[in-house]
Amino acid sequence: MNTLSDEEFEQIYGRKPVRRVKKKKIYWNRIIIALIILIGIVTGLVKLTALVVSKIKGDDTQKTNKY
């Protein structure tokens, strides 16, 4: 298929060609999966930090929290 240049299009149709802006697609499934993974990593780091701090202090907070 032979495409027309802007000048040829304007000569034939008497107006400038309309350029449409292509919308960027947002991949929501990838965003949601990344957020779930990020929340899991942060939760794991917080629990690991709490465990390390409790071991350094010498008292086990896991056993003291049980009723």
Side-chain angles (χ1 to χ4, degrees), residues 11-24:
Q11 287 175 355
I12 294 171
Y13 295 106
R15 62 177 175 83
K16 293 187 177 185
V18 177
R19 302 276 185 230
R20 299 196 190 269
V21 178
K22 187 174 182 182
K23 292 174 68 175
K24 293 183 179 178

Side-chain angles (χ1 to χ4, degrees), residues 33-47:
I33 290 170
L35 285 175
I36 290 172
I37 291 172
L38 183 66
I39 289 170
I41 290 172
V42 169
T43 304
L45 287 175
V46 168
K47 289 188 181 261

Side-chain angles (χ1 to χ4, degrees), residues 3-67:
T3 58
L4 300 173
S5 68
D6 290 348
E7 293 83 18
E8 291 172 337
F9 187 91
E10 194 171 348
Q11 287 175 355
I12 294 171
Y13 295 106
R15 62 177 175 83
K16 293 187 177 185
V18 177
R19 302 276 185 230
R20 299 196 190 269
V21 178
K22 187 174 182 182
K23 292 174 68 175
K24 293 183 179 178
K25 186 174 181 182
I26 299 175
Y27 296 99
W28 289 108
N29 54 349
R30 293 180 184 178
I31 293 171
I32 292 170
I33 290 170
L35 285 175
I36 290 172
I37 291 172
L38 183 66
I39 289 170
I41 290 172
V42 169
T43 304
L45 287 175
V46 168
K47 289 188 181 261
L48 182 66
T49 305
L51 180 67
V52 169
V53 167
S54 68
K55 293 294 181 184
I56 290 174
K57 286 185 175 182
D59 59 304
D60 192 4
T61 57
Q62 301 293 331
K63 291 181 181 176
T64 57
N65 285 340
K66 293 183 179 178
Y67 296 104

